[in-house]
């Protein structure tokens, strides 16, 4: 596997990158990038790499940052009176045709008027990008709302309850999902022109009304996600926020398995496409030959917010291991195996890999690790350790981390010789001395 700069597949669920080059165009989450003073939110920083931050300079209109609201995580709360946030001008390619929008939200009261939780402000009914969450309906407007760009359900939200909503258009039509369940779809689709538009949360310019509720996370792709990507993103949200999903493929988030809820990501394949690489914190898994069948998945997540080196629960021959452990959940539809690459990145640790490395496994959340049978030692590539061509038959569901033997290198077959013309075992000022030896590992630097 190539030496990646650390952004590969770091979007929600490992779908999309965070350097602004993928179809992930906008990403706000309550546990990152919120600027607040005494809980009044003045800015929310875009995590997609596109720098489409959303702000509010008027103190009276700033929403509220509320901690420990959903599975211990914070949310941004809007009061339905005057709270709202606004982006700068949208880029020319923003949500123009193929679009997927996810929002994890709670609606706190029946809304007066026609407030939109998310709206690209425009008076043109032929060019809208709106999301409405009502007790009686969910509305998705993309393009001409008097024609193909309008999709509305006949059932709405459950007030006072967090749920996951997914609105999608492009490809074969447009759809609305709630907690992984398809509520409504048709074969129409619209197009949106973002020229000169901004994007608002909480305010509807057309009706001068404000939305009331809480938002934990919202993100937008310039892509109609295929089934595999949608399933993986559903599981990322479900694990992070402890919300049920109809597309559950990951049991590592269960309390009995240790609540490995963080940065759940995955690779997978269905009839309409796949997701071939994904990153969870400092572990990237990329497909080689594993994704052969529809229904093949490999999802993984961890439960350590920060990584470090520890010496507990290590096997013989290992001097330390990473404190961060991942739960891997494999679904091999036809049990025909195949291979993947696992890459551990040292950027967060702030160190450089040296020595030898082994992929470690244990079947339970506690206890000693052992080296995975049949997996060769990792290869150091820059600031990463790579296990290439790992057969998934060696990867049982369970707990994985990186172990190392980083003891001091040893030297053998040491010889010293000079260029002294009379005796190479002697040296005088000006002579060149040559030291040769065999090292237990590659050495660098100046002696």
């Amino acid at each position: 596997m190539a030496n990646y700069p650390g952004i590969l597949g770091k979007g929600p669920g490992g779908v999309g990158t965070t350097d602004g080059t993928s179809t992930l165009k906008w990403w706000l989450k309550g546990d990152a990038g919120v600027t607040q003073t005494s809980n009044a939110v003045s800015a929310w920083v875009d995590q997609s790499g596109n720098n489409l931050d959303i702000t509010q300079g008027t103190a009276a209109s700033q929403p509220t940052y509320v901690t420990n609201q959903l599975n211990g995580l914070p949310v941004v709360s809007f009061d339905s009176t005057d709270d709202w946030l606004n982006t700068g001008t949208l880029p020319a390619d923003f949500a123009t045709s193929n679009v997927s929008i996810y929002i994890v939200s709670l609606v706190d009261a029946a809304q007066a008027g026609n407030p939109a939780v998310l709206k690209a402000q425009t008076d043109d009914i032929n060019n809208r990008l709106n999301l409405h969450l009502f007790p009686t309906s969910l509305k998705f407007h993309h393009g001409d709302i008097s024609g193909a760009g309008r999709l509305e359900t006949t059932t709405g939200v459950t007030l006072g309850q967090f749920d996951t909503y997914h609105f999608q258009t492009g490809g074969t039509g447009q759809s609305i999902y709630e907690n992984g369940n398809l509520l409504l779809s048709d074969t129409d689709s619209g197009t949106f022109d973002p020229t000169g538009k901004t994007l608002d949360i909480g305010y509807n310019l057309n009706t001068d009304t404000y939305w009331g509720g809480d938002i934990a996370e919202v993100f937008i792709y310039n892509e109609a996600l295929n089934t595999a990507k949608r399933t993986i993103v559903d599981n990322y949200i479900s694990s992070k926020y402890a919300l049920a999903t109809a597309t559950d493929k990951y049991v590592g988030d269960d309390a009995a398995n240790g609540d490995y809820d963080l940065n759940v990501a995955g690779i997978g394949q269905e009839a309409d496409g796949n997701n071939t690489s994904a990153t969870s914190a400092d572990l990237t898994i990329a497909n080689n030959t594993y994704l052969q069948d529809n229904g093949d998945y490999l999802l993984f997540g961890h439960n350590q917010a920060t990584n470090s080196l520890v010496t507990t629960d290590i096997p013989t021959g290992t001097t330390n291991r990473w404190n961060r452990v991942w739960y891997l959940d494999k679904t091999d539809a036809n049990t025909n195996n195949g291979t993947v690459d696992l890459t551990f990145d040292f950027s967060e640790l702030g160190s450089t890999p040296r020595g030898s490395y082994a992929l470690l496994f244990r079947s339970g959340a506690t206890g000693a690790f052992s080296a995975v049978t049949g997996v060769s030692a990792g290869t150091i590539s820059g600031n990463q350790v790579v296990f290439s061509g790992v057969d998934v038959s060696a990867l049982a569901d369970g707990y994985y981390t990186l172990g190392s033997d980083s003891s001091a290198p040893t030297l053998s077959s040491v010889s010293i010789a000079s260029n002294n013309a009379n005796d190479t075992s002697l040296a005088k000022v000006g002579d060149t001395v040559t030291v040769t030896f065999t090292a237990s590992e590659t050495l660098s630097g100046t002696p």
Side-chain angles (χ1 to χ4, degrees):
M1 184 180 180
N3 184 10
Y4 291 97
I7 49 80
L8 176 68
K10 277 201 167 183
V15 176
T17 65
T18 55
D19 64 348
T21 64
S22 74
T23 61
L24 179 61
K25 291 301 177 183
W26 196 50
W27 185 14
L28 306 178
K29 50 183 182 176
D31 56 339
V34 177
T35 300
Q36 52 89 16
T37 302
S38 299
N39 296 322
V41 176
S42 58
W44 203 351
V45 175
D46 175 20
Q47 304 296 308
S48 74
N50 290 291
N51 301 313
L52 194 60
D53 303 341
I54 193 161
T55 62
Q56 178 55 261
T58 302
S61 295
Q62 292 173 349
T64 303
Y65 179 74
V66 187
T67 60
N68 196 28
Q69 288 298 291
L70 184 58
N71 203 26
L73 295 168
V75 301
V76 176
S77 184
F78 297 77
D79 66 3
S80 77
T81 301
D82 55 8
D83 289 354
W84 63 296
L85 296 167
N86 173 253
T87 69
T89 303
L90 297 174
D93 65 341
F94 188 85
T96 54
S97 54
N98 297 331
V99 182
S100 293
I101 303 174
Y102 272 88
I103 183 167
V104 182
S105 178
L106 171 152
V107 180
D108 60 14
Q111 308 292 305
N114 190 30
V117 60
L118 189 69
K119 181 175 176 62
Q121 298 294 10
T122 169
D123 290 321
D124 184 359
I125 65 169
N126 298 316
N127 187 37
R128 296 281 178 88
L129 178 61
N130 302 347
L131 300 184
H132 299 261
L133 305 178
F134 294 134
T136 55
S137 67
L138 307 177
K139 297 181 180 181
F140 176 37
H141 299 163
H142 182 256
D144 182 0
I145 67 171
S146 63
R150 184 185 188 106
L151 189 64
E152 300 181 5
T153 69
T154 57
T155 59
V157 304
T158 301
L159 295 175
Q161 173 179 299
F162 278 100
D163 289 294
T164 303
Y165 304 99
H166 174 202
F167 304 84
Q168 180 163 305
T169 186
T172 58
Q174 52 192 357
S175 306
I176 298 177
Y177 298 84
E178 180 183 43
N179 300 326
N181 291 295
L182 177 62
L183 299 183
L184 181 66
S185 66
D186 64 26
T187 57
D188 291 333
S189 61
T191 58
F192 169 67
D193 179 5
T195 303
K197 307 296 188 298
T198 62
L199 190 63
D200 294 350
I201 294 180
Y203 177 57
N204 188 342
L205 172 69
N206 305 108
T207 58
D208 193 29
T209 52
Y210 295 86
W211 179 80
D214 301 340
I215 296 176
E217 193 156 345
V218 57
F219 46 90
I220 296 178
Y221 291 92
N222 270 11
E223 176 184 3
L225 296 182
N226 63 45
T227 304
K229 290 180 178 180
R230 189 172 66 247
T231 297
I232 292 165
V233 171
D234 287 348
N235 280 264
Y236 156 78
I237 292 173
S238 172
S239 299
K240 181 175 181 178
Y241 296 111
L243 296 173
T245 179
T247 57
D248 194 2
K249 295 286 185 181
Y250 178 71
V251 301
D253 58 346
D254 294 349
N257 291 324
D259 285 325
Y260 283 69
D261 300 342
L262 303 181
N263 299 118
V264 171
I267 61 174
Q269 176 171 303
E270 296 290 356
D272 57 345
N274 55 36
N275 193 54
T276 59
S277 64
T279 299
S280 167
D282 24 30
L283 171 61
T284 296
I285 296 181
N287 178 62
N288 283 325
T289 62
Y290 169 56
L291 298 179
Q292 305 170 63
D293 305 303
N294 300 334
D296 283 349
Y297 286 91
L298 184 59
L299 274 73
F300 53 109
H302 65 90
N303 68 350
Q304 292 290 337
T306 58
N307 201 2
S308 62
L309 296 178
V310 297
T311 58
T312 56
D313 299 328
I314 57 177
T316 302
T318 301
T319 57
N320 58 59
R321 66 171 176 87
W322 282 14
N323 185 48
R324 182 171 284 153
V325 176
W326 285 264
Y327 187 94
L328 269 65
D329 191 338
K330 178 181 65 178
T331 304
D332 189 357
N334 288 321
T335 322
N336 47 10
N337 300 313
T339 63
V340 295
D341 294 339
L342 285 77
T343 300
F344 293 85
D345 188 278
F346 281 68
S347 299
E348 181 183 332
L349 282 175
S351 60
T352 301
R354 55 168 294 273
S356 61
Y357 290 87
L359 182 63
L360 303 183
F361 167 80
R362 66 187 179 195
S363 59
T366 60
F369 285 91
S370 60
V372 179
T373 303
V375 177
S376 301
T379 301
I380 296 174
S381 177
N383 204 36
Q384 300 174 332
V385 171
V386 183
F387 296 89
S388 299
V390 176
D391 196 303
V392 299
S393 63
L395 302 178
D397 288 1
Y399 305 83
Y400 292 82
T401 193
L402 181 67
S404 77
D405 178 6
S406 56
S407 53
T410 59
L411 305 180
S412 61
S413 303
V414 180
S415 65
I416 303 175
S418 76
N419 66 345
N420 188 297
N422 297 316
D423 188 344
T424 58
S425 66
L426 301 175
K428 65 181 184 300
V429 175
D431 287 347
T432 300
V433 175
T434 301
V435 180
T436 60
F437 54 85
T438 300
S440 61
E441 62 183 79
T442 301
L443 304 178
S444 62
T446 303

